[in-house]
Amino acid sequence: MNHRILHVDGDSFFASCEIALDQKLTGRPVWVGGGRRGDGIVIASNRQAKKFGVKTGMACFEARQLCPTGVLCRPHYDEYRRLSQEMFRVLEQYAPMLVPVSIDEGFLDLSTMDSVVWRNTTPEKYVQGICEHITREVKIPVSAGLGNSSRLAKLATDAAKPGFMEVKPGEEKEFLRDRSVRDLSGIGKNRQRSLAALGALTFGHVAELPSHLLKKKFGIWGQQLWLFANGRWNEPLLLEVKDRTTISSNTTLPYDEPDYEAAQTFALSETTRLIGQLRREQLQARELSLTIRFADFTEAGASHRFKHPQYQNSVINAVVQGIFQDIMNGQVKPVRQIRIACWNLSRLDTQPTLWGRTGEERWGALDDATHQLTTRFGPAAVMTGAQLALRQLDDAHKKPKAKCPFVPQREMVKKLWGTDADPLAHKAEREQRLFRAS
Ligand SMILES: [Mg+2]
């Protein structure tokens, strides 16, 4: 069977989302800033901004220097998630199988389209229809690639960006010939180096190597790579549902926090959130760690291993509190960042049993009820003590008190906007100015 796999990928997704949320930004250079105040480093930039040299990973003030007329947007992750969902909802109407791989990327299995759907149209027109549908409904531009395997489809998208490219059956080897093996998704630095040592920098080079040599060097992967480079790797789209192996959270506080009680409240509230997420996925954790990064970037941390896997807030939070107090004992530096990780996960069965109610089942019922309440009345309807305390602290975080230590970001903001106020407070005014100028 000739597999036809479509890869769809949002163009500059976060930046495109900002434009979808505020249509006035259409056609303008836009980038999204990360970091504490949304003015740290660039985490996404659109095509117009890229033309000025604005790149992911550069400091926002550098981006501003390169492109003074551009717009810096603060990230709105919840909105990005919502738009991503809308995008996938459109995509699932077009194929029997959709495999999302990231917030803005997914694969569709179009293998069965040839004989039926594509009889009266071309693959190109069909895919263009999909892309237009997304642009119309979600207001997000997407690029797409079509090939005989998901890897090839992804390479086709990269080659097409922005737009669509089909690698027709029989043209795979030709398409790959001059492409660097570096562009293959999932290829590690070590394999790249080993291939380079064999003189194989492009797929064309790989195709010319004897297949037994690749098999000897890289095992089954080498054999597959050889088939791929020769255009003979024809692979069905598989939906792999893997259990999560870890869950973690890594938060930089809004400012360096000298109050350890506030930092602890945050850590407990965040742990509660992680454990809730694990229970929703029917998982529990055997090990966890807590790491604190201080204002001077030094770190302290410790981990804990439970006797049995745990899923209860009270038990886990008691341990997190213990670790927190241990590692902060004798410390004086303000807290910059809090990292929590849980791993060594195992299944948690919250299903009703015939033999009476188990603790797991009770917790499952509790989580279900909580979920129903929060969907109906909002996320603040049910909170743990730590979450409630954090909410009150959060209000304080909005108006930093005198105890708040020096924040270098403020200096940065002053340099950028000539004021020490919120860098986005004058966004509307700036936009108007830009609007008049353009
Ligand atoms: Mg993308």
Side-chain angles (χ1 to χ4, degrees):
M1 172 156 182
N2 215 346
H3 294 288
R4 303 310 288 157
I5 312 293
L6 181 73
H7 176 241
V8 178
D9 183 10
D11 295 337
S12 325
F13 187 67
F14 290 176
S16 298
C17 285
E18 290 299 332
I19 296 169
L21 294 169
D22 181 0
Q23 295 278 301
K24 288 201 297 291
L25 299 178
T26 310
R28 301 256 292 280
V30 170
W31 58 91
V32 181
R36 283 180 175 174
R37 302 174 61 105
D39 59 353
I41 60 162
V42 175
I43 51 176
S45 58
N46 70 348
R47 205 163 300 283
Q48 281 85 345
K50 280 183 187 131
K51 272 189 214 150
F52 287 86
V54 177
K55 276 190 233 143
T56 303
M58 83 177 18
C60 281
F61 73 86
E62 279 180 86
R64 169 74 36 199
Q65 280 166 0
L66 287 169
C67 178
T69 55
V71 182
L72 163 68
C73 298
R74 203 184 271 234
H76 297 93
Y77 295 110
D78 287 341
E79 294 292 316
Y80 304 163
R81 266 189 284 270
R82 181 180 62 81
L83 289 166
S84 161
Q85 258 176 19
E86 285 181 20
M87 181 177 118
F88 285 117
R89 238 168 251 150
V90 173
L91 284 175
E92 68 189 1
Q93 299 169 25
Y94 285 90
M97 177 136 94
L98 163 69
V99 179
V101 286
S102 77
I103 191 162
D104 70 328
E105 255 181 279
F107 292 105
L108 277 76
D109 193 345
L110 302 182
S111 304
T112 52
M113 298 284 161
D114 262 336
S115 53
V116 194
V117 185
W118 288 350
R119 214 178 329 165
N120 300 316
T121 182
T122 62
E124 184 159 17
K125 279 200 188 121
Y126 188 76
V127 175
Q128 259 162 12
I130 301 177
C131 295
E132 278 161 20
H133 190 170
I134 293 173
T135 314
R136 194 170 61 238
E137 286 225 337
V138 198
K139 312 251 177 329
I140 298 286
V142 296
S143 291
L146 184 63
N148 62 359
S149 68
S150 51
R151 290 218 167 86
L152 190 73
K154 195 169 159 64
L155 287 174
T157 306
D158 291 343
K161 254 178 191 294
F164 166 67
M165 183 179 222
E166 179 190 9
V167 182
K168 292 203 169 75
E171 292 177 2
E172 291 89 358
K173 193 174 174 183
E174 179 63 35
F175 168 78
L176 287 169
R177 178 169 299 145
D178 298 323
R179 275 172 211 284
S180 166
V181 288
R182 214 183 26 223
D183 300 336
L184 189 68
S185 59
I187 190 169
K189 280 265 176 294
N190 284 338
R191 278 171 176 172
Q192 256 183 66
R193 234 174 277 138
S194 311
L195 282 170
L198 297 174
L201 298 174
T202 65
F203 290 103
H205 297 148
V206 173
E208 278 160 28
L209 289 172
S211 73
H212 65 84
L213 176 67
L214 286 165
K215 195 186 170 193
K216 207 175 122 204
K217 272 238 153 229
F218 304 103
I220 189 102
W221 183 82
Q223 214 171 8
Q224 290 176 349
L225 181 70
W226 186 85
L227 287 169
F228 183 74
N230 278 287
R232 284 158 55 185
W233 182 248
N234 196 3
E235 179 193 31
L237 185 63
L238 295 175
L239 184 65
E240 281 181 74
V241 186
K242 282 191 202 135
D243 266 354
R244 181 197 274 290
T245 55
T246 65
I247 189 168
S248 64
S249 125
N250 184 350
T251 314
T252 303
L253 299 179
Y255 58 84
D256 296 338
E257 179 58 80
D259 180 351
Y260 286 178
E261 208 161 312
Q264 178 184 297
T265 304
F266 181 84
L268 293 178
S269 164
E270 198 55 13
T271 310
T272 305
R273 188 180 68 79
L274 291 185
I275 297 304
Q277 178 64 39
L278 279 185
R279 281 202 307 267
R280 271 198 296 285
E281 296 177 28
Q282 305 254 298
L283 292 168
Q284 51 187 343
R286 180 92 189 269
E287 290 177 71
L288 67 82
S289 70
L290 173 69
T291 311
I292 305 293
R293 178 177 261 195
F294 297 101
D296 64 353
F297 287 84
T298 56
E299 288 186 359
S303 57
H304 179 87
R305 188 187 163 98
F306 293 102
K307 262 206 183 109
H308 308 285
Q310 288 297 330
Y311 57 89
Q312 287 181 47
N313 295 335
S314 53
V315 178
I316 294 167
N317 271 346
V319 166
V320 170
Q321 188 167 1
I323 296 178
F324 187 90
Q325 284 166 5
D326 269 358
I327 59 181
M328 300 307 261
N329 195 6
Q331 296 283 359
V332 287
K333 292 166 281 190
V335 174
R336 179 185 166 82
Q337 194 182 56
I338 298 176
R339 294 205 298 271
I340 305 156
C342 303
W343 67 97
N344 200 344
L345 308 178
S346 57
R347 285 259 131 218
L348 170 70
D349 192 4
T350 55
Q351 300 309 311
T353 63
L354 280 174
W355 323 111
R357 310 202 73 158
T358 59
E360 287 88 340
E361 190 199 330
R362 282 173 210 273
W363 270 84
L366 186 65
D367 282 331
D368 285 345
T370 310
H371 182 69
Q372 277 176 25
L373 283 169
T374 48
T375 11
R376 224 171 122 192
F377 300 109
V382 185
M383 280 187 282
T384 63
Q387 284 168 327
L388 181 66
L390 184 72
R391 253 177 109 77
Q392 278 160 358
L393 277 178
D394 249 349
D395 279 343
H397 275 215
K398 278 179 207 140
K399 296 178 231 87
K401 280 174 272 179
K403 69 169 186 183
C404 176
F406 168 72
V407 181
Q409 260 83 353
R410 294 222 178 107
E411 290 302 298
M412 189 80 91
V413 169
K414 219 174 238 171
K415 266 188 224 158
L416 282 172
W417 312 107
T419 160
D420 59 0
D422 185 333
L424 294 176
H426 304 292
K427 191 169 165 240
E429 184 196 314
R430 228 170 38 242
E431 274 165 4
Q432 265 184 2
R433 218 164 48 219
L434 282 169
F435 184 69
R436 262 182 262 130
S438 59

